[in-house]
Amino acid sequence: MKKPVFDTQIDFNGQQQPATHTSTRKWNSKIDSSHLVTDQQQTILLSHRKIIRRWNRLSRLQRSLVYALFLITATVLVLFYSSKLNAANVNKNSDSNIVVEPLKNVSLVNEPVENVVQPKKTVVESEVNERPVFTGPSNARQYAVVESFKHAWKAYKEHAWGHDNLKPLSGMAFDWFSLGLSIVDGLDTAYIMGLTEEFEEGRQWVKNELVFTKNKDVNFFEVTIRVLGGLLTNYHFTQDEMFLNKAKDLGDRLMAAFSSPSGIPYSDVNLGTKTAHAPEWSHYSTTAEVTTVQLEFRELSRASNDPVYEDAAAAVSEKIHQLPKKHGLVPIFINPNTGHFLPHATITLGARGDSYYEYLLKQWIQTGKTINYLLDDYMTAIEGVREFLAKRSSPNKHLFIGELSAGSESFNPKMDHLTCFLPGTLALGHANDLPDWHMTMAEELLYTCYLTYAVHPTFLAPEITHFNLASATNDMYTKTADAHNLLRPEFVESLWYMYQITGNTTYQDWGWQIFQSLEKYAKVPNGYTSLANVKSEKPLQRDMMESFFLSETLKYLYLLFSDDRFVIDLNKYVINSEAHPLPIHKN
């Protein structure tokens, strides 16, 4: 209800008082005013006659100028009034497009699924994001990593150019999606390292050879983080419209994944036919995969000024936000037809679960810390990790993150190497004002990840480490089936986060130990190869160099060894799950 409006005056003692209107002349009914009216009328008649007499004295030209001045004044007034009406309409329309903030996450295990809030159209605002300047290596360690990249790139160029991966032992190519993954994935690493020749030859291949019209199924998640993410980063670094045009073409084709009844993406997309479907082996998509595309699709919308990509991907996060969880922890499979999790599936921060948690925090940061339910979901999940998944080994009480097994949901004391992303993510959260215990957990878990390297004669970590909960001798052990090393980046990724955030050079030293081990055991004449058994002093080699070795492992090592911790500033960038930096936006 509107309050009555009073005319007020402010005195200099700080008091507001109702204004008193006074007049020097008050009407008195006893005074006859008729003669005053007559005098006024006579005065008006005389004035009119004078005006007419003066108008008749004007020349025709002078009269025309007066007419023209009158018309111009009238036109200006009409235009001004029209612009006011248009502005009012625009403001009214703007008010109707305000995005309603989703509900905060209050879902627990037995909470029923609420009706999913339909996503509002995202308002895409153009922003000018400052681009970083890269000057090349500045010390001996960085130079060593650059030489490793050049060695791997040269071998790939000679034996597998244009194919997805190099098989370095046999000198042959390997195709997964036939999208030149190693080029697109590794190109921004070359740019960051200042390798202009390698970057230019890769750019030319992308320009002339990279097409998305083949009638071939690809994995929605892998192509998004590797190819779409790589194209967007290279566009941001160079402002070369070719990269953005390729990204839009790919994004349009990947949109087919969202065509499921629930909007939860299908796992497989045929880029040529623009169709999508569930994998042949299951009706389910992987939870981590469907929740680890939002950074890339949001950036594609911001770069192209088209909200359709962001709307589709953000709606997935909103729908999963509404689903019941075990104190923020999610099963690793979800049905794109029904939009529900597979009941009693494994809960893990390793394979198929890891990056769901990572992207909750990073989406919140990417959008200027403006979407509260993402932060709520992340905070609840990390508390769930602490309560249900974090345990200490015996006898030395090393902190590790285990799993809840499928079916029984009993605790399984195994930790994937993939889980070693978590210390970096926890540290990033703490750097953005999350609780101190997040950093304490990050430091302890990072040391455990370091030990998974240090306890082996190769000083390289296995794919999976098992922990003892009641042992008098060894805290951890590695099964032969889990002893392979794929040259994964997660631990050196966390080392870089911790180094940038804390400045502690111990993390650089740990990274240097690992780099030297890669040089000793994984380097071969034609690049770098994965290993079969890190427990052996002479490990067998597996003949595969994944694209993430170029995109992530060597990139993180290069950044870790930099004298300038902020070469890529975490206050300005979020790093996607394939180590492609994307700019942080204000909203």
Side-chain angles (χ1 to χ4, degrees), residues 86-301:
N86 290 335
N89 289 333
V90 169
N91 290 336
K92 188 179 295 183
N93 291 334
S94 298
D95 292 341
S96 66
N97 289 331
I98 295 174
V99 177
V100 179
E101 184 177 300
L103 298 173
K104 292 187 177 182
N105 183 16
V106 293
S107 56
L108 297 174
V109 183
N110 298 318
E111 183 182 9
V113 182
E114 300 177 14
N115 292 328
V116 176
V117 178
Q118 292 299 318
K120 302 293 183 181
K121 275 289 182 183
T122 305
V123 179
V124 179
E125 294 185 2
S126 59
E127 298 180 55
V128 178
N129 294 102
E130 179 184 352
R131 290 183 287 143
V133 177
F134 303 110
T135 58
S138 60
N139 57 55
R141 288 180 175 180
Q142 278 195 308
Y143 273 104
V145 178
V146 170
E147 289 302 312
S148 296
F149 182 90
K150 290 169 68 175
H151 174 71
W153 185 270
K154 180 175 181 290
Y156 167 78
K157 182 181 177 182
E158 290 177 355
H159 299 285
W161 188 249
H163 296 277
D164 287 337
N165 297 320
L166 167 66
K167 301 180 73 173
L169 299 182
S170 58
M172 298 177 66
F174 175 81
D175 276 315
W176 189 9
F177 308 133
S178 300
L179 293 173
L181 289 182
S182 291
I183 298 175
V184 187
D185 219 2
L187 201 55
D188 62 335
T189 304
Y191 190 87
I192 290 168
M193 291 180 173
L195 297 174
T196 55
E197 180 179 338
E198 287 80 357
F199 178 81
E200 183 56 29
E201 62 191 10
R203 190 190 74 84
Q204 287 297 327
W205 184 88
V206 171
K207 179 181 179 181
N208 300 320
E209 304 294 335
L210 181 60
V211 294
F212 308 115
T213 55
K214 295 176 184 177
N215 184 9
K216 185 179 179 65
D217 285 351
V218 302
N219 180 273
F220 171 62
F221 156 74
E222 295 286 359
V223 170
T224 297
I225 65 170
R226 299 187 193 216
V227 184
L228 184 59
L231 291 171
L232 290 169
T233 293
N234 283 297
Y235 169 67
H236 177 70
F237 284 171
T238 67
Q239 292 298 290
D240 186 338
E241 291 287 333
M242 180 273 293
F243 288 115
L244 179 58
N245 291 334
K246 295 281 185 180
K248 288 191 289 187
D249 183 17
L250 177 58
D252 289 338
R253 297 171 185 276
L254 289 171
M255 285 292 289
F258 298 102
S259 63
S260 72
S262 70
I264 299 297
Y266 289 118
S267 66
D268 293 3
V269 179
N270 188 307
L271 296 179
T273 62
K274 298 184 180 180
T275 57
H277 57 86
E280 295 179 359
W281 51 271
S282 172
H283 296 299
Y284 286 82
S285 295
T286 297
T287 302
E289 292 185 355
V290 303
T291 56
T292 310
V293 297
Q294 284 72 20
L295 295 182
E296 297 81 3
F297 275 78
R298 180 173 288 111
E299 179 56 28
L300 179 58
S301 277

